[in-house]
Amino acid sequence: MGAQLAGKGGHGRGKRRGYRAMAEINMTPFIDVMLVLLIVFMVAAPLLTVGVPVDLPKTNAAPLEAQKDPLFVTVQSDGRVYVQETAVEMGNMVALLIAVTNNNPEARILVRGDAKIAYGKMLEVMGTMSAAGFKKVGLVAEMPNGPTAAGPRVGGAKR
């Protein structure tokens, strides 16, 4: 009754003797995932800007300090008005701005108007915001092409 078969149950002998636990972490899958995420974010980053296309006028005005997350109001060449990327009618614009800014009259609002738009339409949009109590309303323009051109600028004329 005490017989044992060869290779079974004998004091650590047999097939299990040559195997050891692997104590190394395989970094290849981790690196692959990180590279894929890097590529995804590099492709997605340029798409995160305000998406309403508009042809901004050119100006030589000095840029203002960068503001924290300003609210953009865009007026296209056909007269359509957008708050951020949402199309809005002039009658509903103030209510939407109040809702988006949590009724904060100190919120920074930047108006992006197409270069071909009528001056009166821009004044109508800015006057409506000013009449609603918003105090920090600015215009967005681009620097003209040349050695000092550095991209979109915010501000008014030099004094």
Side-chain angles (χ1 to χ4, degrees), residues 63-70 108 110 154:
L64 296 177
E65 295 178 18
Q67 301 293 324
K68 293 181 185 175
D69 299 327
R108 183 77 176 162
L110 298 178
V154 177

Side-chain angles (χ1 to χ4, degrees), residues 46-100:
L47 303 175
L48 297 177
T49 59
V50 177
V52 180
V54 66
D55 182 26
L56 294 174
K58 311 283 189 235
T59 182
N60 287 325
L64 296 177
E65 295 178 18
Q67 301 293 324
K68 293 181 185 175
D69 299 327
L71 183 65
F72 285 97
V73 174
T74 305
V75 184
Q76 286 189 324
S77 60
D78 59 359
R80 288 185 288 173
V81 179
Y82 292 83
V83 174
Q84 294 296 70
E85 294 181 9
T86 305
V88 65
E89 294 183 20
M90 285 297 295
N92 300 332
M93 182 180 70
V94 172
L96 181 61
L97 287 173
I98 289 172
V100 169

